Structure formats: C-alpha cells, structure tokens
Amino acid sequence: MPAEIRLFTCLSDNYGVLIHDSDSGATAAIDAPEAAPVEAALRAAGWTLTDILVTHHHADHTGGIKALKDKYKCRVVAPAAEAAKIPAVDETVREGDKVAVGKLSANVIETPGHTSGHIAYWFHGDKIAFVGDTLFSIGCGRVIEGTPEMMWNSLRKLRDLPDDTKIFCGHEYTAANIRFALTVEPGNKALAARDAQVKQQLAAKQPTIPVTIGAEKKENPFLRADVAEVGAGIGLAGRPPAQVFAEIRARKNRF
Ligand SMILES: [Zn+2]
C-alpha cells in the first residue's frame, strides 16, 4: 500500500506532517514543532504515533518531541551530528542510513548549511522527501551554521532526486519566496505560472506544498545558481555556482 500523508499547520508558519503505513499501522511525525496539532492530526486519522523523524535541532521543529514521546513512547530518530541538542533521542542516523516506518523505508541524506547536521528523509518507494528547512518551495533555508557552498552542495543533492519526488518542507513561505524569485528571474514563465497557482491556493486556504523536484528545478532560483542566465541576471556571469548561490541568498536576506 502507498504511504498515507497528513499535512497540517503548527505554530505560526510551520508545517507538521505524518506519514502512515497502513499495512503495519506505523505512523511517523516528521519533526514535532508542538505536540497538540500532531495529536489532533493523529486523532482525526485514527493513527498511533510510532516514530518521530527529526530533520534538525531548531526549537520550532523539536518543541513537541518530549510531550509526544511521553504520551506515545514512540521512537525518536535524529541526525547524529545534532543529537545532543535534540530531546529524547533513541537512534541517530547519518548519510546513507535507512530508517524504517513499518514497511516504508527512508534513505537519510545529509544536507548541512541551515544547521551543520541537518538531514532529509527520502522515502524513495513513495517518491516523497521531507527536507526540513533546507529546501523550501521556491526558496531555501537561511545559511545559519554552515557556509553558502555547503548549502549549495546540499541543495544539489536534493535537486538530484527524481523529478517526480514530492517535497515536503518545514514552513509555508512560498508567496514571499516567489516575490523574491521574480526579482532574480523576472522573465521565468514557469515561475510566473507558479505565482498564479500559489495565489489561488492561498486564497482557497490550501497549502502550497508538496511541490515536485521537477517543478522546483525550473522555478526555484536557489536550485538554478548554475544556470547561465541566472548568474548573468545578477551580474555574476561565468562565476562559480556557489558564488552565484551565495549572492542570491544574501539578496534574499536583505529582501
Ligand atoms: Zn530551522
């Protein structure tokens, strides 16, 4: 059976998400911004939490772990490099490790940059990746603990996933990201189409995620730092992609 997903909002602009294996009954929360919305989503679906898969240590991704662990006795899986900063960790994982959620299986992809130990979980059989605060719809996370080059390399790893991979990220930032992206690539027609689509989604109070890697490759400037026109458009024609990426990220920080 394919994985079942529930997506819901937490805190002010975080997303919570559950992935469920109906064969075994296993259910994982990807991060736990706060406990109550996760519990409400579990109740509504009739599921019991068996696992929490943590992408990184920030409080808006880990604040609900302790209460959920106390209630459900679930397993907490976290990036090895950040386990000391995350509560109630049972298992640590690194690049190339596999994490089972019932019969579902995720590959761990290390994506440092936003934090130094950030990881993503790629459920390849279900064509789903949970990318935390590394890649956003038409954006990317702030480079807080790593270097721009590190973040660029992490984004390239995610970009290399199959085009039909559905991406779930940690925040609803898409509208603001598109406003910025249009300043980098004002002539990008696919991006203009996404702008129209996102306006409709938000007007209907729908989430703008998941998005596919295939669409992000065409529309997200942070995945396009090695496209010649993107570098030229910001006055860095022919410069190394990591430098173009760093300039786009710096402009977004000021936007
Ligand atoms: Zn974060």
Side-chain angles (χ1 to χ4, degrees):
M1 291 282 284
E4 289 183 62
I5 300 283
R6 293 291 186 279
L7 180 70
F8 46 94
T9 52
C10 292
L11 302 172
S12 59
D13 55 29
N14 279 77
Y15 276 121
V17 61
L18 301 173
I19 182 167
H20 176 74
D21 172 33
S22 55
D23 288 336
S24 66
T27 303
I30 311 303
D31 292 329
E34 54 179 340
V38 177
E39 291 176 57
L42 288 163
R43 260 197 315 277
W47 299 342
T48 301
L49 192 66
T50 53
D51 305 276
I52 301 174
L53 311 184
V54 183
T55 63
H56 68 296
H57 70 83
H58 285 160
D60 64 327
H61 293 253
T62 58
I65 292 176
K66 176 97 178 40
L68 292 168
K69 170 98 182 171
D70 287 348
K71 178 166 181 178
Y72 295 98
K73 312 297 176 211
C74 52
R75 174 183 65 153
V76 177
V77 179
E82 300 187 358
K85 298 176 182 170
I86 296 167
V89 173
D90 296 300
E91 281 183 40
T92 61
V93 290
R94 296 177 183 281
E95 176 82 21
D97 285 346
K98 287 184 170 32
V99 179
V101 176
K103 291 181 181 168
L104 310 177
S105 178
N107 288 23
V108 173
I109 303 172
E110 291 183 347
T111 57
H114 176 67
T115 62
S116 58
H118 194 296
I119 59 174
Y121 296 90
W122 175 36
F123 287 79
H124 47 90
D126 288 278
K127 302 180 178 178
I128 292 169
F130 298 100
V131 302
D133 287 356
T134 298
L135 174 64
F136 294 127
S137 170
I138 316 294
C140 75
R142 281 177 183 265
V143 182
I144 298 172
E145 295 178 10
T147 64
E149 182 156 26
M150 200 182 276
M151 190 69 159
W152 168 242
N153 288 331
S154 294
L155 289 169
R156 283 170 56 209
K157 286 162 88 172
L158 297 177
R159 190 179 68 173
D160 283 345
L161 296 177
D163 278 355
D164 58 355
T165 307
K166 288 194 197 115
I167 297 293
F168 287 85
C169 55
H171 292 271
E172 178 60 64
Y173 290 158
T174 311
N177 286 343
I178 290 174
R179 283 196 294 278
F180 170 74
L182 286 166
T183 69
V184 178
E185 288 194 275
N188 185 326
K189 290 194 173 64
L191 180 59
R194 176 82 77 91
D195 185 27
Q197 179 196 359
V198 163
K199 281 177 175 146
Q200 280 186 353
Q201 287 170 319
L202 293 176
K205 300 206 181 313
Q206 292 169 350
T208 65
I209 67 168
V211 292
T212 66
I213 283 290
E216 289 296 308
K217 278 156 84 166
K218 293 184 195 141
E219 299 157 18
N220 184 334
F222 295 99
L223 296 185
R224 296 168 55 77
D226 52 358
V227 173
E229 304 87 80
V230 172
I234 61 168
L236 292 175
R239 307 309 292 267
Q243 187 185 345
V244 173
F245 170 80
E247 173 61 20
I248 298 172
R249 187 59 256 183
R251 289 185 182 199
K252 176 68 166 65
N253 291 349
R254 296 192 297 265
F255 185 69

